[in-house]
Amino acid sequence: MLEIGSIVEGKVTGLTGFGAFVSLPDGSSGMVHISEVSTSFVKDIKDHLTEGQEVKVKVININDDGKISLSIKKAHENDSESFSKQQRPPKKPRQANVWRGQPQRPSEENMSFEDMMQRFKQVSDEKMTDLKRSGESKHGGGYSRRGGNKNY
């Protein structure tokens, strides 16, 4: 019989947008809410868990209906270093974010301060131009609520 606070091994049997279902050793099934998967923000649970994966979980609640709430992050509070290495599948490479700038190229490492400032200004100007274009395309053109054509 499971008790609140107990830590057990289970197997991920299903993934949803809000959490993961885990099969427990006693034959029951519980749910790990997406907020209980990791100590860091989880946007997509599939970046952290896969079906069939063995996980260590802590029972955090058993309600009157018999629904079992589980936590992976609380099961690993004392061994957080091994948790971060063992539980997560390899990270997918992140796509470049326009607002974070370009990664430094080896030739830029030995640039003078003036050259770095010139590069920064160029990148900044490009971003402002892109931002303005984006704003114009969202708002369309031609029609203006103010002044404009008063032939009505």
Side-chain angles (χ1 to χ4, degrees):
M1 184 71 182
L2 290 175
E3 294 179 9
I4 294 175
S6 61
I7 296 177
V8 295
E9 291 283 331
K11 184 181 270 191
V12 177
T13 58
L15 298 172
T16 68
F18 56 85
F21 291 96
V22 177
S23 171
L24 302 171
D26 68 351
S28 62
S29 181
M31 209 265 305
V32 179
H33 188 268
I34 195 166
S35 65
E36 293 293 330
V37 170
S38 174
T39 54
S40 61
F41 176 74
V42 178
K43 182 176 182 180
D44 185 354
I45 199 162
K46 292 177 183 171
D47 291 340
H48 296 264
L49 298 172
T50 57
E51 285 191 43
Q53 181 179 350
E54 295 281 335
V55 292
K56 188 178 357 175
V57 293
K58 182 174 186 174
V59 179
I60 55 174
N61 191 28
I62 302 173
N63 69 11
D64 297 335
D65 312 7
K67 291 182 181 176
I68 303 168
S69 297
L70 306 169
S71 173
I72 294 173
K73 70 180 180 183
K74 289 180 181 164
H76 295 276
E77 285 176 334
N78 297 332
D79 58 353
S80 61
E81 191 173 306
S82 64
F83 167 60
S84 61
K85 292 178 184 170
Q86 291 176 356
Q87 289 291 349
R88 296 182 186 155
K91 287 189 175 183
K92 298 174 187 173
R94 298 180 90 179
Q95 292 180 338
N97 184 336
V98 169
W99 300 106
R100 291 192 185 147
Q102 300 297 319
Q104 231 180 17
R105 295 183 192 107
S107 63
E108 293 178 353
E109 289 178 5
N110 297 326
M111 293 174 78
S112 70
F113 178 74
E114 289 79 16
D115 291 338
M116 287 190 283
M117 286 300 293
Q118 181 64 33
R119 176 76 177 130
F120 172 79
K121 185 180 179 313
Q122 178 186 355
V123 170
S124 179
D125 289 344
E126 290 170 1
K127 289 179 182 177
M128 289 303 295
T129 302
D130 289 345
L131 185 61
K132 287 178 185 173
R133 280 191 200 131
S134 173
E136 289 171 1
S137 66
K138 288 181 183 175
H139 299 295
Y143 175 76
S144 174
R145 297 177 94 180
R146 296 188 212 162
N149 193 353
K150 294 187 179 183
N151 294 333
Y152 43 86

